[in-house]
Amino acid sequence: MTNTERPLAISAPEPRTLDLIFSDKARAELRAKYEIVEADPENIAGLGDEILGRARYIIGQPPLSTDTLGRMPALRSILNVESNLLNNMPYDVLFQRGIHVVTTGQVFAEPVAEIGLGFALALARDIVDADVAFRQGTELWGGEGNSSARLLAGSEIGIVGFGDLGKALRRLLSGFRARIRVFDPWLPRSILEENGVEPASLDDVLTKSDFVFVVAAVTSENKGFLSTEAFASMRKGAAFILLSRADVVNFDALMAAVSSGHIVAASDVYPEEPLPPDHPVRSLKGFIRSAHRAGALDSAFKKMGDMVLEDMDLMDRGLPPMRCKRAERETVSRMRSKPVAVN
């Protein structure tokens, strides 16, 4: 089979790489079935009409203009392997032409949910600070070391956002016999109820929860919507766990709420990444820090490649993609999440 007989796929997966998201076996399958053209994401237009005219797939989400898309009559799908949907292409044109825009972000749901559960347990039982105290020889033994401890089991839990990550988190929490309230204005009550959670207002989630998990994507409507008033409304001693993107919170207000002793918190994401060495959150007591590593497991990255191959195979046979998550025309232009800077 010659290159011209194989469907052409443009590879522009930054910040990922093909080696990162495809196992050796999957990468060999990809190159056997498709002609792969490696491209600078910032210069897809410079590939030339011969390549653009034959391109069936783009692996990545490079900036695309209407003119560039007009030179790509064979394009069937843009397979986003970063996970965020950037407002860097004319989605209205893509939808009008029936070009599928799909993401592989759901591969991160389970690993991020697991670390979120770990954060909750660590905050509830003061595991991190107790370990530090033990290392320093200042540990408190028995009940004396549990003055602020609480159980996750039987607690009241709030979740902000209920996409793939929220659903994965709910599955992990199901064994803790907790009352789980969810705020997600993009979902009808019935979907929440079918998933075994209580639909609730944001106010109820914040004021009635012992643990609040924030797993909402950043949109044009919710950037910075969790600020000083939101944190002040939470129960004293409640745990706030940020797992999605830092831009949904006013981070200074979050740090102030923790510094005052009103709440405790954990976060895997920050307003800028990497954080500068002197950022105050680094030394903030009552705050568990993780360096945007919750979902960055090799198993998750390799699952991306498997999903991409499965959906490309379906589309090659005239069928719609089923493994990746399709972007929706009504919401895609509202997304404001920043791409990850590091793997």
Side-chain angles (χ1 to χ4, degrees), residues 82-103:
E82 197 275 334
S83 77
N84 296 296
L85 284 162
L86 303 182
N87 196 17
N88 66 348
M89 56 186 72
Y91 289 106
D92 55 341
V93 174
L94 293 165
F95 287 125
Q96 287 168 9
R97 286 180 50 186
I99 296 169
H100 297 292
V101 180
V102 299
T103 75

Side-chain angles (χ1 to χ4, degrees), residues 128-139 285:
V128 175
D129 285 347
D131 174 71
V132 171
F134 209 106
R135 292 166 187 255
Q136 296 173 344
T138 59
E139 73 277 5
K285 183 175 174 55

Side-chain angles (χ1 to χ4, degrees), residues 202-229:
L202 178 61
D203 184 64
D204 279 352
V205 163
L206 293 172
T207 62
K208 297 180 179 180
S209 299
D210 303 305
F211 301 85
V212 174
F213 294 87
V214 177
V215 295
V218 183
T219 71
S220 54
E221 289 91 0
N222 72 3
K223 188 171 182 177
F225 80 111
L226 294 170
S227 193
T228 301
E229 290 184 2

Side-chain angles (χ1 to χ4, degrees), residues 149-265:
R150 65 178 65 192
L151 289 178
L152 187 61
S155 65
E156 295 189 83
I157 292 174
I159 301 177
V160 179
F162 204 67
D164 294 317
L165 176 50
K167 294 180 178 68
L169 183 60
R170 198 282 307 166
R171 289 192 295 271
L172 288 178
L173 293 169
S174 62
F176 286 90
R177 308 183 309 282
R179 181 175 184 177
I180 302 176
R181 298 181 180 91
V182 171
F183 170 72
D184 192 323
W186 287 10
L187 293 178
R189 292 180 60 90
S190 60
I191 288 181
L192 298 177
E193 291 167 349
E194 287 167 4
N195 279 273
V197 298
E198 296 181 29
S201 66
L202 178 61
D203 184 64
D204 279 352
V205 163
L206 293 172
T207 62
K208 297 180 179 180
S209 299
D210 303 305
F211 301 85
V212 174
F213 294 87
V214 177
V215 295
V218 183
T219 71
S220 54
E221 289 91 0
N222 72 3
K223 188 171 182 177
F225 80 111
L226 294 170
S227 193
T228 301
E229 290 184 2
F231 299 123
S233 73
M234 293 176 64
R235 292 176 172 176
K236 183 171 176 56
F240 182 88
I241 299 156
L242 179 58
L243 297 172
S244 50
R245 285 293 185 267
D247 280 351
V248 298
V249 307
N250 179 318
F251 211 80
D252 287 340
L254 171 60
M255 290 191 298
V258 174
S259 179
S260 72
H262 183 63
I263 61 173
V264 292

